[in-house]
Amino acid sequence: MKHYSIIVLFCGIWLFTATSCDFLDVVPDDTATLADAFKNETTTEAFLFTTYSYQMEYRNWRSVPGRLTTNEMVAESRWGDIWFPFKLYNTNQTGSSNLQLYDVWQNSYTAIRLCYIFLENVDNAKPDNISVEAFEGLKNRWKGEAKFLIAWYHHLLFQHYGPIVLIEGVANAQQPRMSIDECVNAIAGWYDEAAEQLPATVGRGDLGRANKMAALAMKAKLLLYAASPLFNGDPEGVFTEANPDFKKLMNLQRDNAKWERALRAIEEAITFAEGQGVKLYRFEDSADPVAGKPAITPERRAYLNVRNLAIVNWNSEVIWGYTGSAQNDPDEWERHVVPGGMGGRSRAFGNPVGGLSPTLAAVKIFYSANGKPLEKESDAERGYPWTEDGRMTIPEGENTCHLHLNREPRFYAAIGYDGGIYEYNDWKEHVLNLKCGAVGQTDINGLYVGQNLENSVANQDRLETGYAVKKNVNPTGVAGTATGDWTPIRRYMWTLIRLGDLYLQYAEACAEAKGSLDTKAQEYIKRIHDRAGLDGDNFYYKNYNGAQLVEAVRRERMIELIFESQWHYDLRRWEMADKWFNQGMWASEGYSDREGTWGLNITGTTNEIFYKEVNSVYSGYRAPYVFDKRMYLLPIAIGHVNINELLVQNPGF
């Protein structure tokens, strides 16, 4: 047997820690040879656990592609790109040597090679404390996990780079990139092989590990991605100017059979998941989490359904999730999202920071309480004209503008706005005042909730659009009154795929493959709308067809999955990113949305000044979001290209 020195392989590996995932806490220390690594059941499983550690650090919003790389949110403009490398990406400096985004290419291929080393050596292990029969069962499951991870890491590579190099063994010979169809078929085949060997689900102690349900779901998502315009027809001509070698790898003619294949896979994944008891999350408690609230009304329950969806760990809807990293605790997210001064401090410095804020693009994409896009309703239905003066006017008896009133529950669960409720400090309901100079004001709980913009707005951490993110912020977190007094809720799980995602995948694939929604697709959308307090029997696009239907389903998906790291990938696979960022898209009538950084005028101390739609408040501070067609795929780092002479770089780099 070959002996590989694997000390280097383990060097620098960060390990997960999770209250529900003890399996991620173990790795063989000082293991010098594969004979030692595969000595018994303990060391062998520890080697397998190491292969999980190369997943993207999904809770690290600073450097993982997809978290802050769309115009769902903008960041504090004074933050530097060294600590916040997504800023280089957003200004189209994707090829910069300073770009410190997570290296999907390097980490994925390292993990794939470890998986193959595992498969090549696992049968050499001998059990110490269990029977040979039980050990054979364990090895079969472990092999399924390794095959799942081979598929998953290739899947990540495909999702970010398009055509990739397929690795089918430990050998590391130079190889060229394979065509889209070859890549997709190989990855789908690995998912199928894994599904045959994996348990249907896993117990609480193994949450985050691969199972059959996850394999079927991720295969479905892979095939949906492969059927999408970016890789199935290229209608926007993203790759028509690419070099001939790269164009040979792409599918430049639409094939409807790819949508039909995706539809079948999604249906299989849904059926299997529901058979394991997976269902849309709903708030089931009898008492309201906010102290002193009366009995929960249907409207309140609908709000709690969607408010809690993203924060209840491993809830009934989760199919597969990432268990997290101790190096990137969720307080990093909460600390930068929760409005500054929430704990009573009179200055912006300290915790929470309040430096990540939703854009008007995010605010406007949600439906009204009637379940319709605001810009599609008549003035009579809305109660005000769809003009800036109309939507930014404060009606008599209210303390916020028309745009924030009579919206669907998903809006209120995701967006914090001036005059609205923001739950924090163990579910206390704070009334936000996001205008400049709001220092010293208190809400009904006697706690400060203002913007903390004291003297010079330009020198303060701030919510630059005048909005706050609520989704993915746990209301039970606590910000105390002293600088640094901070007790966030450490929630390590990050949902990688949930049932609501699969439901909308089915609706999208159905719309693309058939041109209309079949009975199942309508039922899935009904369930999502009913959960959100909307009329699921009469959603506005129920009888749409063709391109109009596809557009409506895409918008539904962006609403349901907002702030879940989906916009980045969906806008690209749809080849809509160029339009979204550069031309203005849904709900943009009345102002230009081209740079994706629009918000309210936070220099305003009065309603008249604050409620204005603006793009650049501080000259020289806010960098515009820049998107060009080369950003549809990530570049392969030049170091990787130089190593493999057969690699073809992605177009534009």
Side-chain angles (χ1 to χ4, degrees):
M1 182 185 71
K2 294 182 180 179
H3 287 259
Y4 299 88
S5 174
I6 58 174
I7 295 175
V8 174
L9 292 176
F10 292 142
C11 183
I13 292 175
W14 50 264
L15 298 176
F16 297 110
T17 56
T19 55
S20 63
C21 294
D22 294 338
F23 76 92
L24 293 173
D25 293 335
V26 184
V27 71
D29 295 325
D30 301 321
T31 308
T33 68
L34 289 182
D36 294 323
F38 294 92
K39 182 178 180 180
N40 54 40
E41 67 269 27
T42 302
T43 60
T44 302
E45 191 172 39
F47 190 104
L48 176 65
F49 295 160
T50 302
T51 64
Y52 279 90
S53 69
Y54 286 86
Q55 294 182 84
M56 293 203 303
E57 303 170 31
Y58 288 95
R59 297 203 65 83
N60 184 352
W61 53 272
R62 298 169 183 255
S63 60
V64 170
R67 291 301 305 271
L68 267 296
T69 49
T70 68
N71 70 333
E72 293 165 282
M73 291 175 278
V74 297
E76 155 66 82
S77 56
R78 300 173 304 115
W79 293 349
D81 51 44
I82 293 177
W83 287 98
F84 304 94
F86 65 84
K87 288 196 157 193
L88 283 171
Y89 182 93
N90 291 352
T91 52
N92 195 19
Q93 300 179 60
T94 325
S96 170
S97 60
N98 294 324
L99 184 64
Q100 299 299 312
L101 287 176
Y102 176 89
D103 190 342
V104 182
W105 188 274
Q106 177 66 52
N107 285 286
S108 296
Y109 280 122
T110 299
I112 289 168
R113 186 168 185 273
L114 283 173
C115 289
Y116 279 117
I117 291 174
F118 178 86
L119 290 173
E120 193 175 81
N121 291 275
V122 63
D123 285 326
N124 296 324
K126 306 298 180 184
D128 274 351
N129 299 304
I130 59 175
S131 69
V132 172
E133 183 180 3
F135 189 49
E136 288 302 312
L138 274 180
K139 286 197 296 183
N140 187 62
R141 173 187 172 176
W142 293 345
K143 290 175 183 177
E145 288 184 78
K147 291 175 183 177
F148 174 91
L149 291 171
I150 288 169
W152 172 236
Y153 286 118
H154 277 98
H155 186 164
L156 286 176
L157 287 161
F158 165 69
Q159 187 173 326
H160 290 88
Y161 300 97
I164 56 172
V165 176
L166 294 174
I167 303 299
E168 299 182 349
V170 174
N172 197 27
Q174 292 193 0
Q175 300 177 51
R177 301 171 75 166
M178 307 302 287
S179 71
I180 288 296
D181 287 345
E182 289 171 313
C183 293
V184 171
N185 290 336
I187 299 169
W190 285 318
Y191 278 133
D192 286 338
E193 289 181 29
E196 291 299 316
Q197 294 179 270
L198 289 169
T201 59
V202 296
R204 295 293 300 179
D206 285 336
L207 291 173
R209 294 179 72 168
N211 57 61
K212 182 174 182 177
M213 184 167 60
L216 295 178
M218 298 317 296
K219 175 189 171 183
K221 197 159 192 173
L222 166 77
L223 296 179
L224 178 87
Y225 207 96
S228 300
L230 184 66
F231 298 121
N232 185 22
D234 187 27
E236 296 298 317
V238 173
F239 303 117
T240 55
E241 300 302 320
N243 66 67
D245 288 341
F246 189 86
K247 283 198 292 186
K248 292 176 184 177
L249 302 175
M250 304 298 290
N251 294 321
L252 301 181
Q253 298 293 323
R254 176 186 163 108
D255 182 357
N256 200 58
K258 296 182 186 300
W259 283 112
E260 295 168 353
R261 182 187 184 190
L263 187 63
R264 292 191 299 271
I266 298 164
E267 183 176 16
E268 181 184 9
I270 291 173
T271 300
F272 189 83
E274 290 181 335
Q276 306 308 310
V278 175
K279 59 183 179 179
L280 291 186
Y281 169 81
R282 287 179 177 269
F283 181 80
E284 302 291 352
D285 292 352
S286 58
D288 199 295
V290 177
K293 283 277 186 181
I296 301 176
T297 64
E299 294 77 12
R300 175 66 175 171
R301 188 170 295 279
Y303 171 78
L304 292 172
N305 287 342
V306 289
R307 181 69 181 91
N308 284 275
L309 168 62
I311 61 173
V312 175
N313 216 10
W314 295 102
N315 63 65
S316 65
E317 188 167 340
V318 177
I319 293 174
W320 189 44
Y322 163 74
T323 51
S325 166
Q327 292 182 350
N328 296 288
D329 289 338
D331 65 293
E332 276 292 297
W333 170 254
E334 290 187 14
R335 187 163 67 90
H336 289 80
V337 168
V338 174
M342 184 65 76
R345 291 175 295 283
S346 63
R347 295 182 58 80
F349 308 108
N351 297 322
V353 173
L356 298 173
S357 50
T359 62
L360 273 170
V363 169
K364 291 183 178 181
I365 198 173
F366 288 92
Y367 303 145
S368 70
N370 296 323
K372 294 182 180 179
L374 287 175
E375 77 280 5
K376 291 183 181 294
E377 288 189 312
S378 67
D379 290 352
E381 287 177 298
R382 271 191 313 272
Y384 59 90
W386 188 242
T387 62
E388 182 177 347
D389 287 344
R391 55 185 174 251
M392 289 299 159
T393 298
I394 299 177
E396 185 175 353
E398 298 288 351
N399 65 343
T400 194
C401 68
H402 276 299
L403 183 63
H404 306 151
L405 301 173
N406 300 313
R407 304 296 297 275
E408 60 160 310
R410 288 180 296 186
F411 168 80
Y412 295 109
I415 306 292
Y417 58 90
D418 184 63
I421 295 294
Y422 195 99
E423 304 101 339
Y424 206 65
N425 292 309
D426 199 19
W427 277 98
K428 286 187 172 64
E429 291 188 323
H430 309 280
V431 179
L432 293 178
N433 185 339
L434 300 178
K435 304 178 188 69
C436 182
V439 175
Q441 298 187 19
T442 59
D443 69 352
I444 55 176
N445 296 299
L447 293 173
Y448 174 78
V449 291
Q451 264 277 54
N452 277 344
L453 306 177
E454 295 175 343
N455 300 311
S456 172
V457 175
N459 289 323
Q460 301 286 318
D461 287 323
R462 55 188 174 261
L463 300 173
E464 295 210 349
T465 64
Y467 291 101
V469 175
K470 291 176 69 175
K471 192 173 184 180
N472 293 321
V473 173
N474 197 319
T476 57
V478 175
T481 58
T483 300
D485 186 2
W486 179 253
T487 310
I489 299 302
R490 297 179 182 273
R491 183 180 65 84
Y492 291 102
M493 193 211 78
W494 179 262
T495 301
L496 293 174
I497 191 163
R498 59 182 174 91
L499 187 61
D501 184 348
L502 279 180
Y503 280 173
L504 292 176
Q505 286 183 42
Y506 185 93
E508 180 186 343
C510 186
E512 291 276 11
K514 301 180 180 181
S516 60
L517 297 178
D518 64 17
T519 302
K520 283 187 177 180
Q522 291 183 20
E523 172 62 23
Y524 294 152
I525 294 171
K526 167 182 164 55
R527 293 178 188 177
I528 287 174
H529 276 219
D530 285 347
R531 192 253 300 271
L534 300 170
D535 184 359
D537 291 314
N538 298 292
F539 55 91
Y540 78 93
Y541 56 91
K542 187 173 185 177
N543 297 314
Y544 282 14
N545 52 55
Q548 187 182 35
L549 172 62
V550 170
E551 179 179 294
V553 172
R554 288 173 175 176
R555 181 171 185 161
E556 184 76 63
R557 181 173 174 83
M558 291 180 73
I559 293 171
E560 176 69 17
L561 299 174
I562 195 169
F563 306 143
E564 294 186 36
S565 299
Q566 297 292 336
W567 277 30
H568 173 100
Y569 301 107
D570 284 344
L571 287 170
R572 281 158 178 75
R573 68 180 178 86
W574 295 331
E575 286 196 343
M576 284 176 54
D578 184 42
K579 289 182 178 179
W580 182 268
F581 296 119
N582 297 328
Q583 300 175 35
M585 290 295 289
W586 304 310
S588 64
E589 289 85 346
Y591 76 104
S592 171
D593 200 18
R594 293 187 175 179
E595 292 177 344
T597 56
W598 284 74
L600 303 179
N601 183 5
I602 62 169
T603 64
T605 58
T606 64
N607 289 334
E608 291 73 21
I609 302 174
F610 178 78
Y611 286 110
K612 296 291 183 183
E613 298 178 5
V614 297
N615 190 20
S616 182
V617 178
Y618 314 112
S619 177
Y621 276 96
R622 183 180 296 173
Y625 194 106
V626 177
F627 186 90
D628 66 33
K629 290 184 177 181
R630 73 175 187 162
M631 296 172 70
Y632 275 103
L633 297 174
L634 283 178
I636 303 171
I638 190 63
H640 306 325
V641 176
N642 288 341
I643 291 173
N644 186 351
E645 296 179 356
L646 299 179
L647 278 184
V648 177
Q649 180 61 279
N650 277 335
F653 297 100

